[in-house]
Amino acid sequence: MKVLVAVAHPDDETFGCGSVIARAVREGHEVVVCCATRGEAGEPIPGSVPEDATLAEVREAELHEAAGVLGVAQVRLLSFEDSGWDGPASIGTLCGAPMTDVVDEMVAVLDAVRPDVVVTLDPGGGDGHRDHVRIAEATTVAFDHVAGNGEMPAGARLYYWCLVRSVMQQWLAYNRGSVYDAGSDDEVGCPDEQITTVVDVSDLLPLRLEVLGNGHGGRSRHHASHLARGHERMQHALGHVAGADHQQMAHTCADRGCTDSGLV
């Protein structure tokens, strides 16, 4: 079986979907990661970008390194730039480009890869980044287009990787009173009732932490330019409040005759 994981920035494939990727690879499936941008608008850790390199070059290299550790067979990059969290989005960015352009590039990837399972980010904007919403929406439209033309494998399925609300509320409570306190938000994360599929990948948490740079023995970070203490704290907190690493996904194909069999 072939799995396509469509994300917005380098590190999304690891911080979000890393354990799902690792499980698919372990079960013998071919995984392709499609990343829409090179993370140009990120805020790098001081000293992480060499003077003779750009942030985009560093993050693209990190993407390939992390994908290699996870067992990804192929990485495909779209032509868009990182839109940033807010502010005006220029025409070349993921959110500034016409939606049709983003959809067209995703259609081309789907045509080339012909995946049995597509996993993308939560179109509800679970973490608030507009690029995550954009790639999810474009992937959904592209999936519908290609599937509607009968060009997807039989039974192809589309899933959204989600930050589930009950866990995110515990994350907020865990940080109450700290510098990471984001306040109270009853609408944070994907509503629990929308989750259709939970993938138990608790035994793969050490591998994902290794890729994130939290492994034992001082392993190097594969996303060293961006995974700072805030990310480490979130990994620890989610493990603390959830008790294990479980990847929640909302299955969008139930009304199209799809099933939840196979990978998830």
Side-chain angles (χ1 to χ4, degrees):
M1 185 170 70
K2 190 174 290 187
V3 180
L4 174 67
V5 177
V7 297
H9 315 108
D11 80 19
D12 292 340
E13 85 297 329
T14 298
F15 188 70
C17 308
S19 296
V20 170
I21 291 172
R23 173 175 163 174
V25 171
R26 184 181 64 185
E27 294 182 352
H29 306 304
E30 179 181 346
V31 179
V32 177
V33 168
C34 173
C35 189
T37 78
R38 290 161 176 78
E40 297 90 344
E43 298 178 358
I45 296 171
S48 63
V49 180
E51 293 183 1
D52 60 347
T54 66
L55 177 58
E57 291 170 340
V58 169
R59 297 198 73 186
E60 181 178 348
E62 291 174 343
L63 169 64
H64 284 279
E65 291 170 4
V69 175
L70 291 171
V72 171
Q74 182 183 19
V75 174
R76 286 175 169 263
L77 281 156
L78 303 187
S79 66
F80 306 100
E81 296 178 3
D82 189 338
S83 310
W85 277 92
D86 51 27
S90 63
I91 192 64
T93 63
L94 186 58
C95 286
M99 174 62 103
T100 53
D101 290 357
V102 186
V103 171
D104 286 348
E105 291 203 24
M106 281 307 308
V107 166
V109 171
L110 291 171
D111 284 340
V113 176
R114 292 186 56 79
D116 301 282
V117 171
V118 178
V119 179
T120 191
L121 304 177
D122 182 3
D127 67 351
H129 201 300
R130 56 185 176 178
D131 277 349
H132 295 173
V133 175
R134 188 70 155 185
I135 192 60
E137 292 175 342
T139 301
T140 302
V141 175
F143 181 94
D144 287 344
H145 173 78
V146 177
N149 288 340
E151 297 170 353
M152 293 288 285
R157 305 182 297 284
L158 170 65
Y159 292 87
Y160 299 132
W161 180 87
C162 300
L163 292 166
V164 68
R165 179 166 296 170
S166 60
V167 173
M168 291 305 294
Q169 288 176 336
Q170 291 178 75
W171 153 249
L172 292 175
Y174 180 87
N175 284 294
R176 198 72 67 219
S178 77
V179 295
Y180 298 101
D181 191 343
S184 178
D185 187 351
D186 293 336
E187 301 302 315
V188 66
C190 178
D192 290 55
E193 61 271 17
Q194 292 183 16
I195 299 299
T196 64
T197 307
V198 177
V199 183
D200 184 355
V201 287
S202 52
D203 61 320
L204 289 164
L205 180 59
L207 174 61
R208 186 152 66 103
L209 292 179
E210 175 184 342
V211 180
L212 289 171
N214 294 347
H216 298 294
R219 296 187 182 96
S220 63
R221 300 172 181 271
H222 296 285
H223 281 295
S225 69
H226 275 70
L227 291 176
R229 292 182 58 84
H231 289 77
E232 293 176 3
R233 181 178 175 85
M234 189 168 189
Q235 285 293 327
H236 177 267
L238 291 182
H240 172 78
V241 301
D245 191 20
H246 292 79
Q247 302 281 289
Q248 286 91 3
M249 295 195 289
H251 185 20
T252 68
C253 299
D255 60 340
R256 304 173 195 161
C258 298
T259 67
D260 287 338
S261 61
L263 171 66
V264 289

